[in-house]
């Protein structure tokens, strides 16, 4: 099969199918993450036009992009995940357009490069769709297309002026909205040189002509540099608490930055899925990931092996790819490095690798062409790399799927336990076992739930993670009457440490509201100090326990009632003083085969059984809880002390409670 005759629509189909396999298999089971929630809340409650003032002090050219997209797409997770899939496919097409111009006689090489760019494994943030489509991906696609039209202008002299103008126009949305790509322009110079050197053997002539052709783009680039210099220094730039590195860098710091970027983006990222899946080899997600890698490898190996390239890649061409890749990786790393931000894979910080995607693709292409001379073997190597990257993205999709499921658990357990909350209340915890949400992220859905009729002014509710906020402007201290303030671009929450509900939700357990009146400082004394020290602030009375309404949770249908439903409802019944209802909930849960995921969850049922006179059952539950985890003994003692004081008045029951306190060696 002569690959050079394959129609572009065939390439588009290959790129589309690869996009779906890598990013779309779990599309319906992913949602909103990170800044998606605040942006969605703004679009829903303040309207798309609010993004203009919201970004006025931070990347003002992003505001129009958010205005456009949120005017077209409602703030619904599924719609944005579909758009993310579409955007990723368009990025692959854009890369194909660029690579096809750079290597017009090597369409096979261009396709492989496009596929590697499409499934680039160092970047794991595809599913943070509403945020990254607007903040990075639209700009990146414009930039890649700008590169492509520059190359097209040189390949097609008849349309030089028109294509150059298109490239210049595309450069503006590529570079002005975000600083992520501010240093990528250097790649255009090398792309121009790649084409010029084919037509001119004189090195000096190549350099002069390349610089002349690059000049109009350089002017636009410098205009952006001048704008950034003004905005960062004289203007009203208000960044994300990021401090630009100002101290002179030592040689070893520069060398380490170079090594780290090349190692992580150019090499390790392409095989990291093997390590990640190997950490839990028997889990369903790991097994499915490995199966997908094998399937993708076989499919791409079969397809690539049938392609016939007409041109031989020289060692010089491979070295050019390798060098351009190295320059692209380092240029892409400079903005985040200058801001003092780490390059950490498999975290929200790997979003910075988006500016290194072109460089990483060129680097890997050059390395493989340099080390593997046999065409068929090289095809197998590329098929394996593509398969590994597809598996990596599927592995990432599972992480986001689990995170979305965990979010739904948090929201519904809040709704069951806290049917209504007094306006102006801060919900405080140390942290929650979720990967891609901060307290600011969660403030948006909590307000969406509990204040669905919000029309303006301060936010009624705020979520605070004490682990990251204590001692700062958001949460100065745990002293009473301290101002709590958290901003969400278009609106702020302003509260006080005297109006707080403290919650705790362990990774393997259910959400619970902590209460200093129940001795929870003692019960949870071995938890994080950020949680324990906050407990005296907690006021469960801010919850309207008698409310007959359940908060409306956006986009999340009520799940099947399992253990945590019965537990949270039992805690609510305890707040209402309805001990019999708590007992009934326990018996129903047990009859359905549900068991606690955390021994501390037995405490409310121990107390309910004892308060209704079922001392034997209460004692058995106490023994079971302590046998499961000795740390729960302090909580059991707190329960029985309350039972002795406020339990059934019959003397034999009071005596039984006292005896049990002795049995459990509870301090007076």
């Amino acid at each position: 099969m002569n690959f050079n005759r394959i129609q572009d629509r065939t390439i588009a189909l290959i790129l589309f199918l690869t996009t779906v396999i890598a990013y779309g298999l779990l599309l319906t089971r992913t949602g909103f993450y990170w800044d998606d929630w605040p942006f969605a809340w703004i679009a829903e409650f303040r309207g798309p036009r609010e993004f203009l003032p919201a970004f006025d002090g931070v990347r003002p050219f992003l505001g129009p992009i958010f205005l456009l997209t949120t005017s077209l797409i409602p703030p619904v997770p599924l719609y944005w995940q579909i758009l993310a899939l579409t955007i990723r496919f368009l990025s692959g097409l854009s890369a194909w357009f660029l690579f096809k111009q750079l290597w017009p006689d090597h369409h096979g090489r261009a396709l492989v490069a496009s596929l590697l760019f499409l499934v680039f494994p160092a970047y794991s943030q595809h599913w943070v769709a509403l945020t990254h489509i607007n903040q990075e991906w639209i700009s990146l696609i414009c930039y890649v297309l700008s590169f492509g039209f520059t190359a097209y202008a040189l390949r097609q002299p008849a349309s030089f002026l028109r294509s150059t103008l298109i490239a210049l126009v595309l450069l503006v949305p590529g570079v002005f909205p975000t600083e992520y790509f501010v240093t990528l322009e250097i790649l255009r110079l090398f792309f121009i040189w790649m084409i010029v050197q084919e037509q001119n053997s004189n090195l000096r002539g190549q350099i002069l002509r390349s610089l002349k052709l690059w000049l109009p783009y350089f002017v636009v680039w410098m205009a952006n540099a001048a704008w950034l210099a003004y905005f960062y220094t004289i203007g009203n730039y208000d960044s994300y608490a990021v401090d630009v590195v100002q101290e002179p860098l030592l040689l070893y710091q520069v060398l380490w930055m170079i090594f780290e970027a090349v190692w992580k983006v150019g090499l390790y990222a392409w095989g990291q899925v093997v390590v990640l899946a190997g950490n839990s080899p028997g889990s369903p997600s790991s097994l499915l990931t490995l199966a997908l890698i094998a399937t993708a490898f076989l499919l791409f190996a079969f397809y690539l092996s049938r392609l016939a390239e007409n041109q031989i890649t020289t060692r010089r061409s491979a070295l050019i790819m390798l060098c351009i890749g190295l320059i692209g990786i380092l240029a892409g790393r400079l903005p985040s490095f200058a801001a003092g931000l780490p390059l950490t894979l498999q975290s929200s910080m790997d979003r910075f690798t988006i500016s290194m995607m072109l460089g990483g693709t060129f680097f890997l292409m050059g390395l493989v062409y340099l080390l593997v001379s046999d065409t068929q073997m090289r095809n197998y190597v590329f098929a394996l790399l593509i398969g590994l990257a597809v598996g990596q993205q599927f592995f990432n999709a599972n992480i986001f799927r689990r995170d979305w499921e965990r979010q739904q658990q948090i929201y519904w357990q809040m709704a069951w336990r806290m049917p209504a909350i007094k306006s102006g209340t801060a919900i405080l915890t140390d942290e929650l076992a979720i990967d891609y949400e901060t307290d600011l992220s969660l403030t948006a859905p909590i307000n969406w739930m509990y204040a669905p009729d919000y029309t303006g002014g301060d936010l009624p509710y705020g979520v605070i993670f004490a682990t990251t906020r204590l001692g700062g402007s958001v949460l100065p201290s745990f002293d009473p009457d301290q101002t709590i303030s958290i901003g969400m671009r278009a609106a702020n929450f302003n509260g006080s440490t005297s109006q707080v509900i403290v919650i705790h939700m362990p990774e393997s357990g259910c959400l619970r509201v902590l209460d200093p009146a129940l001795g929870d400082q003692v019960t949870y004394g071995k938890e994080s100090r950020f949680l324990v020290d906050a407990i005296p602030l907690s006021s469960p009375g801010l919850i309207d326990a008698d409310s007959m309404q359940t908060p409306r949770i956006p986009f999340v249908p009520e799940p099947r009632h399992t253990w945590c439903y019965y537990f949270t409802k039992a805690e609510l019944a305890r707040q209402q003083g309805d001990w019999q209802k708590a007992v009934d909930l326990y018996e129903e849960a047990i009859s359905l085969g549900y068991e606690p995921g955390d021994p501390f969850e037995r405490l409310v049922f121990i107390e309910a059984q004892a308060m209704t006179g079922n001392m034997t059952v209460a004692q058995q539950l106490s023994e079971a809880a302590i046998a499961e985890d000795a740390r729960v003994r302090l909580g059991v003692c707190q329960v029985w002390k309350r039972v002795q004081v406020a339990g059934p008045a019959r003397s034999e029951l009071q005596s039984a409670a006292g005896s049990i306190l002795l049995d459990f060696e509870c301090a007076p």
Side-chain angles (χ1 to χ4, degrees):
M1 178 171 60
N2 188 342
F3 185 77
N4 292 337
R5 296 180 181 176
I6 291 182
Q7 300 292 325
D8 280 354
R9 62 176 175 269
T10 304
I11 300 301
L13 179 60
I14 294 169
L15 293 172
F16 175 75
L17 292 176
T18 304
T19 304
V20 171
I21 293 171
Y23 302 104
L25 297 181
L26 298 176
L27 180 143
T28 60
R29 302 183 66 181
T30 51
F32 278 155
Y33 310 91
W34 204 38
D35 282 351
D36 287 352
W37 275 116
F39 292 146
W41 184 90
I42 291 172
E44 177 72 13
F45 289 91
R46 302 297 293 265
R49 291 187 62 84
E50 185 65 30
F51 285 107
L52 297 178
F55 279 101
D56 183 55
V58 181
R59 300 170 179 162
F61 292 104
L62 278 180
I65 296 177
F66 274 88
L67 170 61
L68 175 63
T69 59
T70 56
S71 296
L72 297 173
I73 309 295
V76 177
L78 180 60
Y79 297 167
W80 283 92
Q81 293 299 335
I82 293 172
L83 181 60
L85 201 69
T86 305
I87 288 288
R88 206 58 179 257
F89 170 57
L90 293 176
S91 76
L93 289 178
S94 302
W96 162 248
F97 175 66
L98 168 62
F99 294 133
K100 185 174 65 170
Q101 311 312 316
L102 295 178
W103 302 310
D105 298 324
H106 296 268
H107 283 193
R109 184 196 299 175
L111 174 60
V112 169
S114 302
L115 289 167
L116 292 173
F117 179 87
L118 177 64
V119 295
F120 183 69
Y123 181 85
S124 70
Q125 301 300 297
H126 166 87
W127 292 270
V128 189
L130 198 161
T131 298
H132 292 307
I133 286 172
N134 290 290
Q135 289 194 166
E136 294 107 35
W137 277 101
I138 290 175
S139 291
L140 179 61
I141 289 173
C142 288
Y143 219 140
V144 173
L145 285 173
S146 178
F147 287 151
F149 274 102
T150 296
Y152 186 81
L154 298 178
R155 296 291 185 191
Q156 305 293 332
S159 65
F160 177 83
L161 181 59
R162 183 182 63 182
S163 297
T164 299
L165 288 174
I166 293 173
L168 286 167
V169 170
L170 287 168
L171 175 57
V172 174
V175 74
F176 273 85
T178 174
E179 311 90 70
Y180 276 56
F181 310 121
V182 68
T183 50
L184 286 190
E185 184 58 31
I186 191 66
L187 287 177
R188 191 191 310 267
L189 178 60
F190 285 93
F191 294 156
I192 293 172
W193 173 81
M194 283 177 63
I195 298 173
V196 168
Q197 58 94 28
E198 297 174 4
Q199 306 160 354
N200 188 337
S201 59
N202 180 271
L203 180 59
R204 183 172 181 274
Q206 294 171 13
I207 295 173
L208 290 176
R209 177 159 171 75
S210 297
L211 289 172
K212 181 180 178 181
L213 291 167
W214 186 50
L215 182 60
Y217 305 102
F218 179 75
V219 171
V220 176
W221 188 33
M222 290 306 295
N224 179 65
W227 155 252
L228 288 176
Y230 163 78
F231 198 51
Y232 273 81
T233 56
I234 305 172
N236 62 337
Y237 186 77
D238 180 19
S239 187
Y240 307 92
V242 171
D243 296 321
V244 177
V245 174
Q246 297 179 350
E247 296 294 327
L249 295 174
L250 300 176
L251 179 61
Y252 83 89
Q253 293 174 308
V254 175
L255 293 176
W256 173 252
M257 183 272 287
I258 295 172
F259 170 78
E260 181 186 41
V262 174
W263 164 247
K264 289 183 176 180
V265 173
L267 296 170
Y268 177 73
W270 298 92
Q272 69 173 333
V273 66
V274 177
V275 177
L276 295 171
N279 290 333
S280 53
S283 69
S285 62
S286 293
L287 293 175
L288 287 171
T289 296
L290 296 174
L292 186 60
I293 291 172
T295 302
F297 166 71
L298 292 174
L299 290 174
F300 283 108
F302 172 76
Y303 183 76
L304 295 178
S305 67
R306 300 181 65 209
L307 303 181
E309 281 283 4
N310 295 332
Q311 303 291 329
I312 298 174
T313 300
T314 64
R315 181 179 178 84
R316 180 174 181 273
S317 297
L319 287 172
I320 288 174
M321 283 188 276
L322 193 67
C323 291
I324 290 177
L326 179 62
I327 292 167
I329 290 173
L330 298 181
R333 175 63 175 126
L334 277 177
S336 55
F337 179 75
L341 297 166
L343 179 59
T344 308
L345 300 183
Q346 291 304 109
S347 76
S348 63
M349 291 296 180
D350 70 20
R351 66 187 185 274
F352 304 126
T353 66
I354 192 172
S355 58
M356 300 176 238
M357 290 177 67
L358 274 175
T361 300
F362 268 90
F363 183 85
L364 190 67
M365 291 284 293
L367 191 64
V368 173
Y369 272 103
L370 193 65
L371 298 178
V372 185
S373 58
D374 181 74
T375 301
Q376 192 73 328
M377 181 58 67
R378 190 164 59 230
N379 286 335
Y380 290 145
V381 171
F382 281 132
L384 178 60
L385 290 169
I386 295 167
L388 288 169
V390 167
Q392 175 69 64
Q393 297 300 354
F394 178 74
F395 187 90
N396 294 334
N398 263 301
I399 294 175
F400 282 95
R401 173 188 61 80
R402 288 190 291 269
D403 188 281
W404 182 237
E405 291 175 353
R406 184 64 168 171
Q407 283 191 66
Q408 295 179 58
Q409 294 170 10
I410 292 170
Y411 303 144
W412 273 108
Q413 289 178 42
M414 280 188 176
W416 294 328
R417 177 61 183 89
M418 301 183 286
I421 305 173
K422 183 179 179 181
S423 180
T425 297
I427 299 173
L428 181 62
T429 187
D430 52 346
E431 58 187 0
L432 294 172
I434 42 181
D435 295 319
Y436 291 106
E437 290 74 44
T438 65
D439 47 6
L440 175 59
S441 306
L442 292 178
T443 291
I446 297 310
N447 277 279
W448 209 324
M449 288 168 53
Y450 288 101
D453 300 321
Y454 171 88
T455 56
D458 282 351
L459 295 171
Y461 307 101
V463 178
I464 310 292
F465 287 176
T467 303
T468 55
R469 302 295 187 181
L470 183 63
S473 59
V474 174
L475 180 64
S477 73
F478 286 142
D479 295 332
D481 299 321
Q482 293 291 305
T483 298
I484 295 176
S485 179
I486 189 167
M488 203 171 67
R489 295 187 188 275
N492 297 321
F493 169 77
N494 294 296
S496 165
T497 52
S498 295
Q499 190 173 335
V500 166
I501 296 171
V502 178
I503 64 170
H504 177 50
M505 188 172 183
E507 187 171 0
S508 60
C510 308
L511 182 139
R512 60 211 66 168
V513 173
L514 302 185
D515 188 347
L518 299 179
D520 281 344
Q521 268 190 296
V522 176
T523 299
Y524 294 98
K526 296 188 182 297
E527 297 292 337
S528 158
R529 69 175 181 86
F530 296 100
L531 179 72
V532 176
D533 292 348
I535 291 174
L537 298 176
S538 190
S539 301
L542 298 169
I543 300 169
D544 182 359
D546 298 318
S547 174
M548 301 303 294
Q549 297 181 341
T550 299
R552 180 177 66 88
I553 302 176
F555 325 121
V556 181
E558 186 165 8
R560 183 168 58 94
H561 293 170
T562 55
W563 170 260
C564 285
Y565 169 81
Y566 293 98
F567 170 77
T568 52
K569 285 297 186 180
E571 282 221 319
L572 184 63
R574 173 172 64 182
Q575 183 176 339
Q576 296 169 310
D578 192 342
W579 296 112
Q580 187 56 53
K581 183 177 181 180
V583 170
D584 294 341
L585 286 163
Y586 175 75
E587 291 175 350
E588 183 178 350
I590 296 300
S591 70
L592 294 172
Y594 301 129
E595 291 285 344
D598 181 332
F600 286 85
E601 290 160 10
R602 297 184 186 274
L603 295 178
V604 64
F605 298 112
I606 293 170
E607 190 165 6
Q609 295 286 359
M611 289 295 192
T612 54
N614 301 320
M615 292 294 185
T616 301
V617 176
Q619 184 171 3
Q620 291 171 347
L621 290 176
S622 301
E623 292 168 349
I626 294 173
E628 187 175 349
D629 188 340
R631 294 178 305 165
V632 81
R633 185 181 65 83
L634 293 175
V636 169
C637 289
Q638 292 298 310
V639 167
W640 283 103
K641 287 177 181 179
R642 290 196 298 276
V643 171
Q644 189 179 41
V645 172
R650 287 178 292 171
S651 59
E652 67 274 16
L653 298 181
Q654 292 290 321
S655 177
S659 176
I660 291 170
L661 283 168
L662 291 174
D663 291 343
F664 292 141
E665 300 179 351
C666 298

